[in-house]
Amino acid sequence: MVPGLLSKMSITCPLPDLETAPIAVIGLGYVGLPLAVEFGKTRPVIGFDINPDRIAELKQGQDTTLEVSPEELAASAHLNFTSELSDIAKCQVFIVTVPTPIDTSKTPDLRPLRSASRSVGSVLKRGDVVIYESTVYPGATEEDCAPLLEELSGLTLNTDFSAGYSPERINPGDKSHRLTDIVKVTSGSHPEAADFVDALYASIITAGTYKAENIRVAEAAKVIENTQRDLNIALVNELAVIFGKLGIDTEAVLQAAGTKWNFLPFRPGLVGGHCIGVDPYYLTHKAEAVGHSPEIILAGRRMNDGMGAYVAHEMIRNMALKGIHVGASRVLVMGLAFKENCPDIRNTKVIDVIEALQSYGVTVDVFDPWIDPEETQAEYGITPVAAVTADAYDGLVLAVAHQEFRAMSEGELRAPLKEQHVIYDVKAMLPRGMDGVVRL
């Protein structure tokens, strides 16, 4: 049977009651927790995570990802948390929201997804529904996950249990576009399952749902959303490099071009995090598996992956032009999170800037009020400074546009700097023409 074809066929497979079926959300990060909270307002939900520390903080009403407030947690009256697999055995709907990272060779790392599938499979019962939200390549749900569910449960997909895929669209740190405000793509392993999954999400998503014709279409739709963004950012990053060599201000060019109604408002920058900098590799992996060597997608990835080294090189070049002794210099990097107003440091490309500066002999300090110092030390071996010393630095890299940094005056930004200095403004936060300021 061709994967995805079953979704076009009528299947006789039991389904739980749409209104009362208890839900288990597997993985309580940026994606899973908001979902569990929203469903938990009206129906029984168990949030499951393998990290007992995460469960402990959530039980205390705190979310260190800052995606859900204590008030929102308290309002989810039917939500409970656990790290014990036996606690979710009575659930009838399982929603998997675990990370799907890449490894050091930029190959999809499905270990968290497979582990979650085995866990769900061990408690799966006849009539249950398993829905995946994790970003994957087309075919992963039916080709990689469903066999594990079948193996561990002894049940058969579309005979004993159903599957669905509804890709997450969470934007960490964005308080304007929340879970319920974003149209939700849904799909199922057969028509009745597709209807069930769509109706389930429609009960909480005020923006509405879009039912894809099958799971593979929904998987592909998700993976190209971030691939498209990645390529658009890669284009403006390359333009920034070109304009830099031509002595033209990139932001001024983009503002001028933006006066045309159909010009897309992308800006150059460091492309990290667990979505845009990762998802394209899932698509290219699958493309290569079926005999196609992607060119445009991987070219965009190479461009974006190289921007950290480019920023560092330009910083060093401008410091040298000012007569600053690079090997004896100190640089302050403001911002380490992968994006503004967010504590997440996973796959941050600011680390590339730091390591490249250090390769020139520069002493680098990092200041970021959003991040967890212990997590930063464990992940990158960096201890962020808690406060900034005056007149201590030869250079400043404005790497992340946190609201606290945008609110700082020119005097506050220059306070840590020596008289002779360079400021490299990655996010175009500062006005053009400021003395000593270089913009990407």
Side-chain angles (χ1 to χ4, degrees):
M1 182 69 70
V2 177
L5 184 59
L6 285 172
S7 61
K8 299 179 181 179
M9 300 170 58
S10 181
I11 301 292
T12 302
C13 181
L15 288 166
D17 183 82
L18 180 64
E19 303 297 329
T20 62
I23 297 173
V25 177
I26 317 299
L28 298 174
Y30 287 89
V31 177
L33 182 62
L35 191 69
V37 166
E38 201 60 41
F39 275 123
K41 292 177 180 179
T42 58
R43 63 195 303 153
V45 176
I46 298 178
F48 174 86
D49 199 286
I50 60 173
N51 183 353
D53 292 337
R54 176 66 167 160
I55 296 301
E57 75 172 44
L58 292 173
K59 284 184 175 181
Q60 293 170 3
Q62 298 297 321
D63 170 30
T64 54
T65 71
L66 305 182
E67 287 300 302
V68 176
S69 69
E71 293 76 19
E72 289 170 320
L73 278 171
S76 190
H78 305 282
L79 173 60
N80 293 292
F81 300 106
T82 186
S83 57
E84 297 295 328
L85 195 58
S86 58
D87 290 339
I88 65 173
K90 292 184 179 180
C91 292
Q92 294 176 284
V93 177
F94 300 88
I95 305 179
V96 179
T97 63
V98 298
T100 44
I102 53 175
D103 60 22
T104 54
S105 63
K106 304 189 187 303
T107 300
D109 181 1
L110 294 181
R111 286 178 296 178
L113 192 64
R114 288 171 177 149
S115 177
S117 297
R118 291 188 183 97
S119 295
V120 172
S122 69
V123 296
L124 197 63
K125 308 171 296 303
R126 179 171 169 78
D128 288 351
V129 177
V130 185
I131 305 168
Y132 290 90
E133 289 212 5
S134 306
T135 302
V136 292
Y137 46 72
T141 299
E142 292 159 302
E143 297 166 14
D144 294 277
C145 301
L148 292 173
L149 296 173
E150 292 179 325
E151 178 186 345
L152 271 293
S153 68
L155 303 174
T156 302
L157 177 65
N158 295 324
T159 299
D160 302 307
F161 72 95
S162 304
Y165 184 78
S166 181
E168 60 91 1
R169 282 176 162 174
I170 294 294
N171 186 25
D174 187 345
K175 301 307 180 184
S176 299
H177 301 92
R178 307 299 299 275
L179 169 68
T180 59
D181 306 322
I182 304 169
V183 173
K184 201 83 165 71
V185 174
T186 66
S187 63
S189 56
H190 58 84
E192 291 77 12
D195 290 342
F196 178 90
V197 173
D198 191 71
L200 182 70
Y201 281 104
S203 69
I204 63 167
I205 306 297
T206 56
T209 59
Y210 178 91
K211 186 164 59 175
E213 64 179 60
N214 58 53
I215 287 176
R216 287 161 64 89
V217 167
E219 291 168 327
K222 167 56 181 175
V223 81
I224 71 165
E225 289 175 12
N226 285 328
T227 299
Q228 183 186 66
R229 285 187 57 79
D230 192 43
L231 285 169
N232 277 299
I233 298 170
L235 172 60
V236 293
N237 273 337
E238 186 161 46
L239 292 175
V241 172
I242 294 170
F243 295 146
K245 293 181 180 296
L246 294 173
I248 303 173
D249 184 79
T250 302
E251 180 62 20
V253 174
L254 294 175
Q255 288 181 6
T259 59
K260 188 178 180 184
W261 76 91
N262 60 353
F263 186 82
L264 301 178
F266 287 91
R267 290 298 185 269
L270 303 170
V271 185
H274 43 90
C275 291
I276 299 178
V278 171
D279 295 355
Y281 289 118
Y282 274 75
L283 184 56
T284 58
H285 171 80
K286 190 66 174 181
E288 289 168 346
V290 295
H292 176 73
S293 297
E295 296 182 14
I296 296 174
I297 297 172
L298 289 177
R301 280 281 74 237
R302 287 191 295 272
M303 185 72 229
N304 286 340
D305 278 345
M307 288 306 292
Y310 173 79
V311 168
H313 176 268
E314 286 298 289
M315 183 69 179
I316 294 298
R317 186 176 69 84
N318 281 277
M319 289 169 65
L321 289 173
K322 282 214 164 189
I324 298 171
H325 182 198
V326 172
S329 65
R330 292 184 67 189
V331 169
L332 177 65
V333 173
M334 293 180 64
L336 183 64
F338 88 89
K339 65 176 293 187
E340 64 273 7
N341 307 325
C342 170
D344 197 343
I345 59 171
R346 287 179 294 171
N347 194 35
T348 175
K349 290 305 176 182
V350 181
I351 195 68
D352 294 353
V353 179
I354 295 168
E355 291 176 349
L357 287 172
Q358 290 172 333
S359 73
Y360 286 99
V362 177
T363 299
V364 181
D365 285 341
V366 174
F367 176 66
D368 190 326
W370 282 81
I371 63 177
D372 182 338
E374 291 183 5
E375 181 186 3
T376 304
Q377 176 61 42
E379 184 73 18
Y380 297 113
I382 293 173
T383 301
V385 297
V388 176
T389 305
D391 303 316
Y393 299 99
D394 304 282
L396 171 66
V397 178
L398 283 169
V400 184
H402 289 318
Q403 58 193 18
E404 292 88 344
F405 299 162
R406 287 191 177 276
M408 294 174 73
S409 66
E410 180 181 352
E412 289 173 318
L413 285 171
R414 293 192 191 272
L417 298 170
K418 299 176 182 178
E419 183 177 354
Q420 195 76 331
H421 62 260
V422 173
I423 299 175
Y424 197 99
D425 185 5
V426 175
K427 300 296 289 184
M429 287 187 274
L430 302 176
R432 277 196 301 150
M434 286 180 62
D435 181 54
V437 174
V438 181
R439 301 206 305 187
L440 179 60

